[in-house]
Structures are given as structure tokens and as C-alpha cells.
């Protein structure tokens, strides 16, 4: 695999963030399994909880957040669903990019590779803020894969040309402008 794009300004900062992630994961109520899904954009970290034979629910977090942001929802959701909390690649989390996501079509390709890598055909999708924006885009492009879509405060979904907002606000613009989280 190619060299990973650094998402942190220092190894100390990365260690601090990953320790914070682990502290939250220690509060993850149901049993879970951490999975790494290889994609053409890098390695994607996913936390899976709930019965393996239950209907799948995939969770997309807000911009500059992580899969950990769902920890208060996991216990209830995991009672009836197989829940996959995805660390969106290119953010300060456990996913490790080798190339940046620079467009919505890149996101579509990356997320499809993640879903396929999990062995999921159709699923329930929930997204918060930026996760709602990208989740809505995915549902518009591949509606046959979505059982139901839940949008929580979806960013930029009412603008006529939301791709402008994506380009202006996304940290996934190019290798030169990939975010280096200041921790």
C-alpha cells in the first residue's frame, strides 16, 4: 500500500487523540469489533456492534468528528441492528488515507468500497451534519442500496449547488491541503 497521508501535526497529538478515542471506546456499552476495510483511498476504521445477523445500520459522523461521536446511541441501536460506526477517511481518527477525497464522486467511490468491504448489500444509513450531507448524496446516487435514510442536521442539503459548499468547507481538497489536526 502507498504511504499514508499524515492527519496530525505531531506524533504526540496523534497519540493524544487516539487515547481520547480509546477512553470513549471504553464506554462503548455493547460488545464491539474494530474492523479495518482496505479501499483505494486508504484503510478505513469501522466499529461494528450488535447481532451479526441483524439488519445493518451505517453511521456517518460530522465533519472533524469520528465514529466515537455515536457512543451514546450505540447501545440502543445495537439491540436490534448490526451497527457500523465509520471513521470517515481524511479526518483525525483511526482511518488512514493514502490519497485525499477531493469530490463528492470520490466520497461515493470510497464509501461504496467500505460498504462492499463490509459485505453489505442494502442498509439503513444515518448521518450527522457533514455525514448527513454525504449520506444524502450517496442515497441520491445509489438509492437501491438504501433501506432508509436518517439525516441529523444535514449540512448544505438545501443549497441549489451544494458541491460549492463541499469544495469550500471540506478538508479533503488535495494532498497539499490535507488537514493536519492541531493537537
Amino acid at each position: 500500500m502507498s504511504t499514508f497521508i499524515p492527519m496530525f501535526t505531531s506524533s504526540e497529538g496523534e497519540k493524544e487523540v487516539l487515547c481520547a478515542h480509546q477512553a470513549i471506546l471504553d464506554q462503548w456499552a455493547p460488545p464491539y469489533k474494530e474492523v479495518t476495510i482496505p479501499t483505494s483511498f486508504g484503510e478505513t476504521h469501522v466499529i461494528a456492534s450488535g447481532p451479526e445477523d441483524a439488519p445493518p445500520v451505517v453511521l456517518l459522523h460530522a465533519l472533524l468528528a469520528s465514529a466515537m461521536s455515536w457512543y451514546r446511541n450505540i447501545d440502543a441501536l445495537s439491540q436490534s441492528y448490526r451497527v457500523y460506526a465509520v471513521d470517515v477517511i481524511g479526518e483525525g481518527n483511526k482511518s488512514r488515507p493514502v490519497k485525499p477525497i477531493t469530490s463528492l464522486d470520490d466520497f461515493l467511490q470510497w464509501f461504496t468500497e467500505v460498504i462492499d468491504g463490509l459485505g453489505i448489500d442494502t442498509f439503513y444509513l444515518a448521518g450527522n451534519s457533514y455525514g448527513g450531507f454525504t449520506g444524502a448524496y450517496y442515497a441520491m446516487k445509489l438509492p437501491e442500496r438504501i433501506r432508509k435514510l436518517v439525516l441529523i442536521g444535514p449540512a448544505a442539503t438545501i443549497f441549489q449547488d451544494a458541491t460549492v459548499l463541499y469544495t469550500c468547507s471540506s478538508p479533503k481538497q488535495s494532498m497539499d491541503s490535507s488537514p493536519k489536526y492541531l493537537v
Side-chain angles (χ1 to χ4, degrees), residues 48-151:
S49 303
E52 291 186 25
D53 60 346
V57 172
V58 178
L59 306 174
L60 291 174
H61 59 74
L63 186 65
L64 304 178
S66 75
M68 301 305 135
S69 64
W70 296 101
Y71 84 97
R72 292 181 188 249
N73 307 99
I74 292 300
D75 194 33
L77 288 170
S78 293
Q79 300 300 310
S80 302
Y81 300 96
R82 180 65 169 176
V83 182
Y84 298 94
V86 177
D87 268 336
V88 175
I89 203 159
E91 309 261 343
N93 55 44
K94 289 186 173 183
S95 291
R96 299 173 48 141
V98 295
K99 68 179 181 179
I101 292 177
T102 61
S103 69
L104 286 168
D105 288 333
D106 281 355
F107 178 88
L108 185 72
Q109 178 185 342
W110 164 76
F111 192 56
T112 300
E113 290 176 20
V114 171
I115 297 303
D116 291 346
L118 289 168
I120 298 172
D121 183 36
T122 62
F123 58 100
Y124 298 96
L125 177 59
N128 179 33
S129 188
Y130 172 73
F133 169 65
T134 52
Y137 184 77
Y138 186 87
M140 287 188 317
K141 293 294 186 176
L142 295 169
E144 67 277 4
R145 296 200 72 175
I146 303 297
R147 294 181 186 187
K148 289 192 180 178
L149 176 65
V150 176
L151 303 176

Side-chain angles (χ1 to χ4, degrees), residues 132-180:
F133 169 65
T134 52
Y137 184 77
Y138 186 87
M140 287 188 317
K141 293 294 186 176
L142 295 169
E144 67 277 4
R145 296 200 72 175
I146 303 297
R147 294 181 186 187
K148 289 192 180 178
L149 176 65
V150 176
L151 303 176
I152 305 165
T157 54
I158 61 171
F159 295 114
Q160 186 173 8
D161 186 9
T163 58
V164 171
L165 181 64
Y166 179 85
T167 302
C168 294
S169 68
S170 174
K172 302 164 192 65
Q173 293 177 14
S174 73
M175 289 185 77
D176 294 334
S177 66
S178 291
K180 306 287 192 271

